[in-house]
Amino acid sequence: RSNLAGVRHILLVLSGKGGVGKSTIATELALSLRHSGKKVGILDVDLCGPSIPRMFRAQDNDVHQCDSGWVPVFVDQDKSISLMSIGFLLEKPDDAVVWRGPKKNALIKQFVADVAWGDLDFLIVDTPPGTSDEHISTVEALRPYKPLGAILVTTPQAVSVGDVRRELTFCKKTGLRVLGIVENMSGFVCPHCSECTNIFSKGGGEELAKHAGVPFLGCVPLDPQLSQSLEEGRDFIQEFPKSSAFPALAHITQQILDGTLQRSS
Amino acid sequence: RAVSPGSWFELGSCTKGARVFSLRDLDFGDSPAQACFQWGGLVGWFVFQVALLDIDICGPSIPKMMGLEGEQVHQSGSGWSPVYVEENLGVMSVGFLLSSPDDAVIWRGPKKNGLIKQFLRDVDWGEIDYLIVDTPPGTSDEHLSIVQYLSAAHIDGAVIITTPQEVSLQDVRKEINFCHKVKLPIIGVVENMSGFICPKCKNESQIFPPTTGGAEKMCQNLNVSLLGKVPLDPQIGRSCDKGQSFLSEAPESPATSSYRNIIQRIQEYCDQHPFQEEKII
């Protein structure tokens, strides 16, 4: 029995560029899915810059071995969220992983084959930016398990949207369904005067979704409470239901859940 | 500026005695400020010949930020010609080799390395004073290759870009360790997206909070210089999207003066660490 046999849906989070919020979206999506009663795993295949462990304040954990493979790191007692990342395998947190493609590919294969996830409703795969070794290897390794599809994250500016256009082509070429585009860092509401400033412009993600004929999942605004929660590894979905980013994240999650219902019916 | 013959010739028609440094950033690769930083730098170094090499093979942003989208690379007897923004500023990027903005470069390491080598060997850069290399996030193929291919040519050092939060700093520490490992000198660290001043009420917000002391504390701990902090300014993103120079579009912005200071500090670093000709010959 394969280690992914108990996983119902596999989602990939992709983007063309770094720093647009893939790990943020992956983390918040996992937290909101848990909020809806789902069991979620996150596989972090960003080998040179893993962010997931810290975003769950799990960075000091180690990975243990069991009969069926590596035991993922659980973030809570209920084991409702489990994580796997190279961050758990490093001796020192600041160690650089200076690896060329083949080594990265080998670890990704191992991550896909050897992690004992158990039963999960969702496995979210957080990727590094680009369309290279990690992406090709991940998509190839996951193909037998028929991933549900990919969520593409962008910021609103044209330079970021340009990279997501290439990512869309990657999905098309590798036969990965696009679940939709998320526009992150979309506007900032000043906490002092409530004026909304579009620091990184506005609307680029939505326009691209229209142009490419894929669903637009929503705009997540810049929200200091969100950045702060991620820094401290706190549950933003639980603690800040009144914040500006909350409704956007809840809406994205709902669409993913609706999509899976449609697929299973 | 001293022009020294030597190992550069191994790179074919490449430049002689250029200042080389690589701009590397990890997490916040698409920070629009970054390329403006570069372009600003280039304009600031008006008297110099500058080359900008974009080795982000899967996500080249430089052509758009420089207003060069749709440009093509031309072949001449002496190799590929860079695309010129100004007479003294030549650019090379995989973006110029793609036929459509939707084209994805789905390549594994060896092919990326091959192209980087070609960029160094086959591009007719002419004589340049500064070669700036923009890298993708990470510590992998592209980074190892550029350092390896330029090792004989002497890289002046690396400028490392971060944002204030710990999630970004933790990656930058890895990047600093990478530089130590491959013996690449570190010119310094730039903290980007450092605070935002509301254009309406002029109050400052920390959108990306420096919960562990930001780049400043990290630089102190690791004994690396902090070159400066660049605040968030919506105009930076707009300039990048339009391919305009932020420094000339917004000369009054606090971000502009911050860029200018950073550029000056990089220049000072390069002047204080002169090219050692004897080593090369």
Side-chain angles (χ1 to χ4, degrees), chain B residues 167-192:
Chain B
V167 280
S168 172
L169 294 171
Q170 64 176 0
D171 288 353
V172 166
R173 283 192 210 98
K174 289 182 201 288
E175 200 72 45
I176 290 172
N177 275 334
F178 169 82
C179 292
H180 293 329
K181 238 181 203 173
V182 300
K183 303 200 166 59
L184 180 63
I186 296 166
I187 299 174
V189 173
V190 173
E191 184 177 274
N192 195 17

Side-chain angles (χ1 to χ4, degrees), chain B residues 94-115:
Chain B
V94 74
F96 300 136
L97 307 173
L98 302 175
S99 52
S100 136
D102 291 314
D103 273 4
V105 182
I106 308 172
W107 289 358
R108 290 188 182 271
K111 256 181 116 173
K112 294 192 287 190
N113 301 333
L115 184 64

Side-chain angles (χ1 to χ4, degrees), chain B:
Chain B
R1 193 136 294 249
V3 171
S4 45
S7 54
W8 272 103
F9 290 119
E10 291 169 25
L11 297 167
S13 58
C14 205
T15 140
K16 289 175 281 176
R19 298 280 186 182
V20 184
F21 59 90
S22 69
L23 273 169
R24 45 186 63 249
D25 68 310
L26 263 152
D27 239 15
F28 284 69
D30 75 323
S31 64
Q34 193 199 334
C36 273
F37 162 63
Q38 295 158 358
W39 193 9
L42 311 173
V43 175
W45 292 329
F46 195 61
V47 290
F48 301 119
Q49 279 292 330
V50 180
L52 175 54
L53 171 61
D54 179 7
I55 61 164
D56 191 341
I57 310 292
C58 298
S61 308
I62 297 291
K64 180 156 203 101
M65 291 188 184
M66 291 286 180
L68 299 175
E69 236 182 350
E71 294 280 344
Q72 298 282 318
V73 168
H74 297 282
Q75 183 97 38
S76 74
S78 46
W80 289 348
S81 304
V83 178
Y84 285 90
V85 186
E86 314 254 351
E87 226 170 85
N88 64 337
L89 169 53
V91 180
M92 182 54 75
S93 165
V94 74
F96 300 136
L97 307 173
L98 302 175
S99 52
S100 136
D102 291 314
D103 273 4
V105 182
I106 308 172
W107 289 358
R108 290 188 182 271
K111 256 181 116 173
K112 294 192 287 190
N113 301 333
L115 184 64
I116 292 171
K117 198 178 250 176
Q118 225 173 339
F119 277 160
L120 293 170
R121 203 182 45 203
D122 298 346
V123 175
D124 179 19
W125 292 106
E127 288 195 13
I128 50 177
D129 298 301
Y130 289 89
L131 170 63
I132 302 176
V133 182
D134 183 25
T135 66
T139 51
S140 190
D141 279 289
E142 294 89 334
H143 314 84
L144 282 167
S145 296
I146 192 79
V147 172
Q148 189 187 330
Y149 299 155
L150 287 177
S151 62
H154 170 100
I155 302 180
D156 283 61
V159 176
I160 300 176
I161 320 287
T162 185
T163 53
Q165 330 90 289
E166 179 58 28
V167 280
S168 172
L169 294 171
Q170 64 176 0
D171 288 353
V172 166
R173 283 192 210 98
K174 289 182 201 288
E175 200 72 45
I176 290 172
N177 275 334
F178 169 82
C179 292
H180 293 329
K181 238 181 203 173
V182 300
K183 303 200 166 59
L184 180 63
I186 296 166
I187 299 174
V189 173
V190 173
E191 184 177 274
N192 195 17
M193 308 196 187
S194 180
F196 169 68
I197 295 164
C198 174
K200 196 175 170 201
C201 69
K202 308 291 172 207
N203 278 306
E204 189 173 358
S205 301
Q206 296 299 332
I207 297 184
F208 301 109
T211 55
T212 54
E216 203 162 338
K217 179 106 179 283
M218 179 195 72
C219 286
Q220 276 169 14
N221 290 346
L222 299 178
N223 200 17
V224 179
S225 1
L226 178 65
L227 295 173
K229 297 182 186 183
V230 182
L232 280 163
D233 182 334
Q235 177 70 36
I236 299 174
R238 281 200 290 274
S239 296
C240 285
D241 277 359
K242 289 189 197 145
Q244 295 169 336
S245 162
F246 169 73
L247 294 201
S248 21
E249 294 290 309
E252 305 299 322
S253 164
T256 300
S257 56
S258 176
Y259 280 136
R260 291 199 180 281
N261 277 330
I262 292 165
I263 293 157
Q264 200 185 342
R265 295 210 34 201
I266 295 172
Q267 268 183 291
E268 282 165 13
Y269 176 96
C270 290
D271 292 341
Q272 283 159 13
H273 298 77
F275 209 70
Q276 289 175 331
E277 285 183 46
E278 63 277 17
K279 270 193 191 164
I280 287 163
I281 303 163

